[in-house]
């Protein structure tokens, strides 16, 4: 094999695939200098002929059938940018079976099929680059795997989804949820099915990948406790900001608790002085606490054509460099997954401070009842605030911030409180707080 030229096949010419083709062309010289070898696109596979034509690649490099890429012995790296877990899985597994290295931006596929993909890669001596799968161009994967390789990761706090961060930031400025989401869609941030963003699936998949790297065990995305932002109201965003100095973020949290881990994605209030409160719009950030390095923050654009292409191309360069240095043999195989699964602590056992907004009739003894239902379960109240006054029996918001309490205690207390239809007029809003 010619180590001076590395041949790749790109499968999928959507936003990311097109960005990769363009970045390889635009930065040809710098890529060659860093890899020590030229990178040639031997194939681009895409079922949509219009996209093939728009790619600017010569017709002899274009195909509608990804199998042409997998069966070409000249192709050393297959770049899977199809997305999803259907054809993409065939592409990734097929490429590895054919002894080809893989670069993928596919968080859904990797999070779900982690042991299968990495076991096969290890057996075949192939690399799987997946820098763009989490935070696109922000190098958190290599940061954890290489830069922080000497650390036990104690915790991760991330804003890993650009769409929801965009929506929450816009809502904090007074925009309605639907209008904010429409704007995120127009900017090309959202997944084709935006419920993957809004319901927290996308962030949970990304946290599963980061958690799997951190523990060395597989953290399946279905084990990540997940709550989205679909039910978030502007009232709570404004109230928590004004009264308590909090900003709302969809936070992805991972904590190493010895033989078990915390892994959760949910709307979370953080103090306005917290570094993650300063992360606005489509920006992503990850705060890593390593036992040796201490706290480290990564941040940048986690979505969009160029940021995603940046992550993908960095993996191509890395693999091409390794191939070049070892005369066509791959010496750099990043990881061997453990067959073990990470044990996740149930959300009921996880302690946090809580913001609670009750909608209750304004009359004596109501507050005593709320405090009693919480106190009986060892939930201690830090602050209580009633907004307005209703002498006509209407409901008023009563906001309580608790001291650290078990999720299960809050759940049980709210079940009792919300069962009192005589004076509780709507379901209580409960949002965790991370200091
Ligand atoms: N829909 C994702 C986001 C794109 O909003 O962050 C990148 O994974």
């Amino acid at each position: 094999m010619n180590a001076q030229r590395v041949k790749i096949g790109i499968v999928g010419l959507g936003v990311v695939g097109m960005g990769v083709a363009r970045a390889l062309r635009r930065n040809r010289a710098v890529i060659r200098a860093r890899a020590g070898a030229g990178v040639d696109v031997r194939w681009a596979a895409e079922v949509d002929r219009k996209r093939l034509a728009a790619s600017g690649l010569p017709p002899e490099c274009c195909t509608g059938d990804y199998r042409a890429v997998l069966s070409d012995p000249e192709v050393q790296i297959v770049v899977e940018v199809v997305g999803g877990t259907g054809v993409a899985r065939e592409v990734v597994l097929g490429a590895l079976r054919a002894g080809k290295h893989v670069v993928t931006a596919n968080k859904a596929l990797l999070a779900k099929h982690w042991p299968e993909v990495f076991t096969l890669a290890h057996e075949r001596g192939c690399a799987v680059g997946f820098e763009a799968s989490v935070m696109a161009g922000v190098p958190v994967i290599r940061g954890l795997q290489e830069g922080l390789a000497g650390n036990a990761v104690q915790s991760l706090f991330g804003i890993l989804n650009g769409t929801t961060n965009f929506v929450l930031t816009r809502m904090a400025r007074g925009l309605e949820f639907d209008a904010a989401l429409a704007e995120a869609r127009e900017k090309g941030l959202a997944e084709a099915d935006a419920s993957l963003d809004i319901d927290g699936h996308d962030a949970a998949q990304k946290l599963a990948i980061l958690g799997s790297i951190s523990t060395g065990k597989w953290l399946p995305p279905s084990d990540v406790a997940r709550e989205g932002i679909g039910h978030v109201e502007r009232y709570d965003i404004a109230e928590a900001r004004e009264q308590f100095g909090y900003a709302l973020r969809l936070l992805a949290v991972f904590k190493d608790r010895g033989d078990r881990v915390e892994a959760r994605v949910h709307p979370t209030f953080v103090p306005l002085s917290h570094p993650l409160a300063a992360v606005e719009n489509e920006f992503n950030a990850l705060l890593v606490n390593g036992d040796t390095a201490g706290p480290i923050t990564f941040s940048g654009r986690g979505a969009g054509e160029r940021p995603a292409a940046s992550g993908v191309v960095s993996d191509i360069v890395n693999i091409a460099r390794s191939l070049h240095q070892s005369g066509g043999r791959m010496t750099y195989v990043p990881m061997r997954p453990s067959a073990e699964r990470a044990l996740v602590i149930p959300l009921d056992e996880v302690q946090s401070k809580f913001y609670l907004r009750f909608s209750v009739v304004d009359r004596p003894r109501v507050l005593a009842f709320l405090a009693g239902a919480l106190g009986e379960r060892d939930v201690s109240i830090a602050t209580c605030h009633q907004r307005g006054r209703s002498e006509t029996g209407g409901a008023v918001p009563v906001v309580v911030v608790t001291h650290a309490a078990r999720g299960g205690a809050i759940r049980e207390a709210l079940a009792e409180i919300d069962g009192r239809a005589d004076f509780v007029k709507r379901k209580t809003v409960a949002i965790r707080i991370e200091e």
Side-chain angles (χ1 to χ4, degrees):
M1 217 152 276
N2 181 359
Q4 296 306 314
R5 313 245 24 119
V6 172
K7 294 198 187 310
I8 71 166
I10 303 174
V11 183
L13 280 182
V15 174
V16 183
M18 210 65 106
V20 170
R22 289 187 186 123
L24 287 171
R25 218 170 15 242
R26 189 172 58 242
N27 293 339
R28 186 190 305 270
V30 88
I31 288 169
R32 191 193 166 85
R34 289 184 182 147
V39 174
D40 297 332
V41 179
R42 173 64 194 93
W43 290 108
E46 166 61 56
V47 284
D48 183 336
R49 298 245 147 231
K50 281 194 214 124
R51 287 191 194 161
L52 279 173
S55 71
L57 291 163
E60 64 274 18
C61 294
C62 296
T63 176
D65 184 357
Y66 72 85
R67 283 166 295 205
V69 184
L70 303 192
S71 61
D72 183 344
E74 283 203 351
V75 171
Q76 291 160 282
I77 305 173
V78 172
V79 180
E80 181 279 308
V81 273
V82 179
T85 54
V87 174
R89 179 164 169 265
E90 299 305 315
V91 173
V92 167
L93 298 179
L96 293 172
R97 280 191 205 106
K100 299 183 189 307
H101 308 294
V102 168
V103 173
T104 176
N106 194 328
K107 63 241 160 176
L109 175 74
L110 283 181
K112 188 167 171 204
H113 298 290
W114 185 264
E116 187 182 24
V117 169
F118 287 103
T119 302
L120 183 59
H122 201 80
E123 279 168 15
R124 302 295 161 118
C126 294
V128 178
F130 53 104
E131 187 58 75
S133 64
V134 182
M135 290 175 72
V138 184
V140 288
I141 302 295
R142 219 165 286 126
L144 284 175
Q145 281 186 328
E146 295 176 29
L148 297 172
N151 284 256
V153 173
Q154 294 166 324
S155 63
L156 303 168
F157 294 88
I159 294 173
L160 303 179
N161 181 268
T163 302
T164 45
N165 206 53
F166 185 87
V167 169
L168 292 176
T169 312
R170 286 290 199 265
M171 284 176 78
R173 302 215 173 98
L175 211 65
E176 291 290 352
F177 179 93
D178 288 344
L181 179 57
E183 222 186 299
R185 276 205 169 102
E186 267 166 42
K187 286 175 77 85
L189 302 172
E191 299 297 302
D193 171 4
S195 69
L196 294 174
D197 299 298
I198 296 305
D199 295 342
H201 292 284
D202 177 83
Q205 289 159 356
K206 291 167 176 168
L207 186 71
I209 291 175
L210 298 176
S212 297
I213 296 172
S214 300
T215 53
K217 297 176 188 166
W218 179 37
L219 172 59
S222 51
D223 286 1
V224 175
R226 179 184 50 78
E227 182 189 324
I229 64 160
H231 60 291
V232 163
E233 292 175 46
R234 276 190 308 174
Y235 178 88
D236 299 297
I237 298 178
E239 181 73 6
R241 187 181 187 95
E242 272 170 42
Q243 296 299 327
F244 312 110
Y246 290 137
L248 189 64
R249 295 289 178 263
L250 182 69
L251 218 61
V253 180
F254 169 88
K255 290 184 188 171
D256 190 336
R257 299 279 194 206
D259 47 0
R260 295 194 296 170
V261 301
E262 279 181 34
R264 49 197 168 92
V265 168
H266 47 70
T268 311
F269 282 121
V270 292
L272 287 166
S273 56
H274 193 282
L276 294 179
V279 179
E280 298 207 307
N281 298 319
E282 70 269 40
F283 276 76
N284 283 192
L286 180 70
L287 223 158
V288 182
N289 282 302
D291 69 335
T292 312
I296 292 195
T297 308
F298 296 85
S299 88
R301 284 184 201 281
E305 178 188 314
R306 284 199 175 202
S310 168
V312 170
V313 173
S314 78
D315 284 332
I316 297 172
V317 170
N318 232 15
I319 297 173
R321 184 196 294 125
S322 182
L323 287 170
H324 169 67
Q325 286 172 347
S326 57
R329 268 183 317 110
M330 183 71 189
T331 55
Y332 172 77
V333 181
M335 65 199 309
R336 179 197 196 109
S338 145
E340 229 181 310
R341 220 168 138 138
L343 288 176
V344 179
I345 301 174
L347 210 46
D348 267 5
E349 288 178 35
V350 174
Q351 297 232 0
S352 309
K353 290 174 72 172
F354 277 84
Y355 163 101
L356 305 172
R357 181 191 18 126
F358 301 99
S359 300
V360 286
V361 168
D362 191 8
R363 65 170 188 243
R365 295 222 292 267
V366 166
L367 197 54
F369 172 78
L370 301 178
L374 291 166
E376 274 162 28
R377 289 157 182 105
D378 280 337
V379 178
S380 153
I381 293 173
T383 326
C384 177
H385 177 81
Q386 174 175 330
R387 177 74 87 176
R389 179 96 177 86
S390 171
E391 285 167 14
T392 55
V396 290
V398 172
V399 175
V400 163
V401 170
T402 72
H403 290 298
R406 272 190 332 107
I410 297 287
R411 187 177 51 73
E412 284 167 22
L414 297 192
E416 184 188 343
I417 292 167
D418 288 353
R420 291 298 300 267
D422 47 335
F423 58 82
V424 178
K425 292 304 170 193
R426 50 170 292 193
K427 194 173 179 317
T428 300
V429 172
I431 300 176
R432 283 182 190 260
I433 300 168
E434 287 280 347
E435 300 284 2

